[in-house]
Amino acid sequence: MDAVLTRRLGLLASLWFATVFIAGCAQTPRAAAPNDAEVSSWTGRISLQVQSEPPQAFFAGFELKGSAAQGELVLNSPLGNSLALLRWSAEEAVLDSGNQIQRFASVGELIEKATGAALPVPALFDWLRGKNTAADGWTADLTQQAEGRISASRSIPLPRADLRVVLAR
């Protein structure tokens, strides 16, 4: 069943990437909110590329609510169909792919299963708020955060990973 989910996400991610590539600048990113701890929801596009053998790429639209401690992430195809729903709290971390529900010990394991790479979840929430929080092995570029664009790269541990987030209006 994991292979089917992986193929489904890969196919939809490829379709989404092609749509985004063709659309180019058609969607204007929203200006990011000020450094405000009250901000708790974001919508946009996310891409993650891992320089593994073979290389892996993950692309999706997203709706993120909550915090690193408790939240919800909806991943969508270019057509707006839900690819997966991720929910986490201190008690549980759940991946609902529509036809299968999987439980994980932590939000880190959940995110890695859904995207193909470990992401620094607490730092990511800070980056979305414009705070350049350090994360082991990761370097964030927030120079375009005011325009709704965030990028980060992981060099340690290998393989290298590149994360891009574009916030929507």
Side-chain angles (χ1 to χ4, degrees), residues 93-160:
V94 177
L95 171 61
D96 182 348
S97 59
N99 60 353
Q100 181 181 14
I101 294 178
Q102 295 176 295
R103 299 187 188 288
F104 298 90
S106 69
V107 65
E109 289 178 23
L110 169 65
I111 296 293
E112 185 170 1
K113 177 65 175 185
T115 65
L119 298 177
V121 176
L124 179 57
F125 274 91
D126 283 348
W127 298 341
L128 289 166
R129 291 185 178 103
K131 182 179 178 188
N132 199 351
T133 299
D136 287 343
W138 286 87
T139 303
D141 178 359
L142 303 184
T143 58
Q144 295 183 331
Q145 195 270 345
E147 292 83 32
R149 295 178 180 271
I150 298 166
S151 62
S153 296
R154 181 190 72 199
S155 54
I156 300 171
L158 292 176
R160 179 182 171 87

Side-chain angles (χ1 to χ4, degrees), residues 40-104:
S40 61
S41 69
W42 298 268
T43 302
R45 301 181 313 256
I46 188 170
S47 73
L48 178 64
Q49 297 181 338
V50 181
Q51 306 304 317
S52 58
E53 281 302 323
Q56 299 177 45
F58 174 83
F59 307 94
F62 74 90
E63 297 172 31
L64 175 63
K65 299 175 188 172
S67 68
Q70 180 174 341
E72 178 179 288
L73 174 62
V74 177
L75 299 173
N76 298 306
S77 74
L79 302 175
N81 299 328
S82 179
L83 298 173
L85 170 63
L86 293 73
R87 293 185 317 269
W88 62 92
S89 66
E91 294 81 36
E92 65 179 353
V94 177
L95 171 61
D96 182 348
S97 59
N99 60 353
Q100 181 181 14
I101 294 178
Q102 295 176 295
R103 299 187 188 288
F104 298 90

Side-chain angles (χ1 to χ4, degrees), residues 3-23:
V4 172
L5 174 61
T6 302
R7 274 188 251 130
R8 177 178 167 206
L9 288 175
L11 177 62
L12 290 173
S14 297
L15 177 62
W16 183 84
F17 176 70
T19 303
V20 169
F21 182 76
I22 291 167

